[in-house]
Amino acid sequence: MQIEMVDLKGQYDKIKPEIDQAVISCIGSTSFINGPAVKEFQVNLQQYLGVKHVIPCANGTDSLQIAMMALDLKPGDEVICPAFTYVATAEVIGLLGLTPVMVDVDPNTFNLTATGIEKAITSKTKAIVPVHLYGQSCDMEPIMILAQKYKLFVIEDNAQAIGADYTFSDGSKAKTGTIGHIGSTSFFPSKNLGCYGDGGALMTNDDELANKMRMIANHGQEKKYYHKVLGCNSRLDTIQAAILNIKLKHLNSYSQARNDMALFYDTVFSAVGELQVPARQINSTHVFHQYTLKVKNGRRNELQQYLLKLGIPSMIYYPLPLYKQEAFQQFVSTDFKLLASEELCNEVLSLPMHTEMNIDSMSFVCNSVQSFFKK
Ligand SMILES: Cc1ncc(COP(=O)(O)O)c(C=O)c1O
């Protein structure tokens, strides 16, 4: 039985005629850069997310960088981010001459908390980057209250959670990525809303920030050949936008398929004492970009090898907290340590999770994991 972490081919096969037609029509039109599909996608995504502005760009890392450039931060300013995340979140902070201040995450939800963030705030703190890891929202309401109290910007790194809903204490709901001052996201092929190459976008309800980010993403120009600020070249290809217009229509059903699968996994794995199934943040839906177990008693690597021998792939997102990465040594003292992040790096294991998984494959994964713990 062939089992994949993600099955992009299977997903493509189901929407092939529509995708092929859209791509061929883009090539035929030769409007490869800023063609009509880009504007169309911008509007479609605005409507889907319920946000005033979407600014498409070249990838998720660029979206974070453009967001930070738009906030006029100065070298030495501190930006709070989780230590347990993908490198891009903190990389752009360092690249811009800012200081990433890495904070521990909640060991159950894997996300930053307002309490953890507050302890790290200093007079130099200017922004917070909560990452909605694996597909569910950080508890954003207390984070936004904190940001208001200390006059900080919030950039949500929504690369893994597009489509998730956050519910505020008054019952109102918002899509992740639209709650902070700026939201950023990635359309990397394996993301929940993935294109067939690189892609990304910024979200905001703030007109001024939207204009600035649009300008930065386009060489700092508002009018062709008149450059107001230093910018970069970060555009979403027309072909990718055409693909995203089609895939966006399926996003809710993709999220549902992922949730159905997570429930199936949960039922089996919650009965295994050495496993902890993904905790749910009560005020967020989960879109299961990853289904990530915690494997206790130091048996994670052994389980991973066992599954591999049976042809079941799994991934460790992430093997090191960022402060242990060589590239980040310049930002931390040698004895810097965050307990939950360290523990998670040793315990997390993400299992195959995608929209094309069938019941036989899921049962095979479940039976294999069970058989490991019965050995
Ligand atoms: C949390 C997070 N932030 C940022 C990124 C960067 O996105 P991209 O690969 O499109 O640059 C990713 C994608 O892998 C991610 O998972």
Side-chain angles (χ1 to χ4, degrees):
M1 186 177 292
Q2 177 80 18
I3 297 192
E4 322 263 2
M5 275 306 281
V6 290
D7 181 5
L8 299 179
K9 174 79 170 77
Q11 195 187 55
Y12 163 63
D13 284 345
K14 285 196 183 147
I15 50 174
K16 185 174 174 349
E18 247 189 307
I19 295 273
D20 289 1
Q21 203 245 319
V23 171
I24 289 166
S25 133
C26 264
I27 297 173
S29 77
T30 67
S31 357
F32 303 119
I33 304 292
N34 284 333
V38 179
K39 179 77 191 172
E40 210 182 298
F41 176 62
Q42 178 195 315
V43 173
N44 288 340
L45 191 59
Q46 279 165 193
Q47 277 167 1
Y48 177 83
L49 295 173
V51 72
K52 203 164 171 197
H53 304 280
V54 163
I55 297 110
C57 66
N59 57 65
T61 310
D62 274 11
S63 67
L64 287 163
Q65 180 172 328
I66 294 163
M68 272 171 231
M69 287 168 78
L71 297 179
D72 289 330
L73 306 183
K74 303 279 174 302
D77 284 350
E78 293 177 357
V79 178
I80 291 176
C81 65
F84 185 68
T85 178
Y86 183 58
V87 64
T89 316
E91 185 179 35
V92 297
I93 302 173
L95 269 179
L96 292 174
L98 311 168
T99 305
V101 174
M102 294 168 230
V103 167
D104 217 355
V105 293
D106 177 283
N108 294 313
T109 63
F110 313 114
N111 280 333
L112 282 186
T113 62
T115 325
I117 293 168
E118 188 160 26
K119 289 187 199 135
I121 294 174
T122 71
S123 58
K124 291 185 182 164
T125 309
K126 292 288 170 343
I128 310 166
V129 189
V131 179
H132 306 310
L133 204 73
Y134 303 150
Q136 76 181 335
S137 184
C138 297
D139 194 1
M140 286 305 292
E141 187 164 1
I143 293 178
M144 293 312 293
I145 292 170
L146 198 67
Q148 199 172 20
K149 177 171 160 195
Y150 291 95
K151 299 192 171 34
L152 306 176
F153 289 110
V154 175
I155 302 169
E156 295 174 75
D157 182 343
N158 196 35
Q160 301 191 4
I162 196 151
D165 288 306
Y166 178 81
T167 306
F168 290 86
S169 51
D170 66 359
S172 62
K173 287 182 196 297
K175 292 276 186 211
T176 53
T178 69
I179 303 163
H181 302 90
I182 302 175
S184 79
T185 199
S186 162
F187 305 122
F188 186 80
S190 60
K191 292 287 190 263
N192 288 29
L193 178 62
C195 57
Y196 292 176
D198 276 310
L202 291 139
M203 286 77 74
T204 187
N205 285 308
D206 182 312
D207 296 343
E208 211 175 302
L209 280 175
N211 285 340
K212 205 150 173 209
M213 293 192 293
R214 213 171 278 120
M215 191 161 70
I216 292 170
N218 186 24
H219 294 294
Q221 63 190 348
E222 259 174 347
K223 195 171 141 201
K224 210 166 169 67
Y225 303 128
Y226 292 84
H227 305 272
K228 262 189 149 164
V229 293
L230 292 179
C232 54
N233 174 17
S234 189
R235 295 180 288 234
L236 179 68
D237 284 352
T238 311
I239 290 179
Q240 302 305 342
I243 291 164
L244 287 166
N245 276 325
I246 293 161
K247 289 190 72 180
L248 182 58
K249 291 188 267 178
H250 298 278
L251 183 57
N252 286 346
S253 67
Y254 290 162
S255 301
Q256 189 55 53
R258 288 172 178 276
N259 267 278
D260 292 347
M261 205 176 144
L263 212 58
F264 189 97
Y265 275 163
D266 272 0
T267 313
V268 176
F269 299 142
S270 49
V272 180
E274 282 170 286
L275 295 178
Q276 188 179 315
V277 301
R280 309 302 200 268
Q281 172 79 44
I282 49 158
N283 40 16
S284 172
T285 58
H286 204 317
V287 292
F288 286 100
H289 176 56
Q290 300 297 340
Y291 183 90
T292 304
L293 291 169
K294 289 209 283 179
V295 186
K296 299 292 174 184
N297 303 334
R299 301 191 74 193
R300 192 264 315 268
N301 294 355
E302 204 192 325
L303 171 62
Q304 186 175 38
Q305 289 310 313
Y306 178 85
L307 294 176
L308 199 59
K309 283 198 190 116
L310 298 173
I312 301 172
S314 59
M315 293 294 287
I316 296 167
Y317 302 116
Y318 298 95
L320 286 180
L322 289 182
Y323 57 83
K324 281 196 168 172
Q325 298 283 359
E326 252 183 277
F328 289 92
Q329 292 314 300
Q330 57 188 304
F331 302 112
V332 285
S333 58
T334 44
D335 58 349
F336 188 82
K337 196 174 167 133
L338 299 171
L339 292 180
S341 297
E342 302 241 338
E343 189 183 274
L344 290 176
C345 290
N346 291 325
E347 291 186 345
V348 289
L349 191 67
S350 299
L351 294 180
M353 162 57 73
H354 56 78
T355 55
E356 308 310 309
M357 197 94 164
N358 60 34
I359 194 97
D360 291 344
S361 310
M362 283 192 281
S363 302
F364 182 56
V365 174
C366 289
N367 294 338
S368 304
V369 172
Q370 278 176 322
S371 68
F372 171 80
F373 288 104
K374 282 189 192 140
K375 291 196 279 146

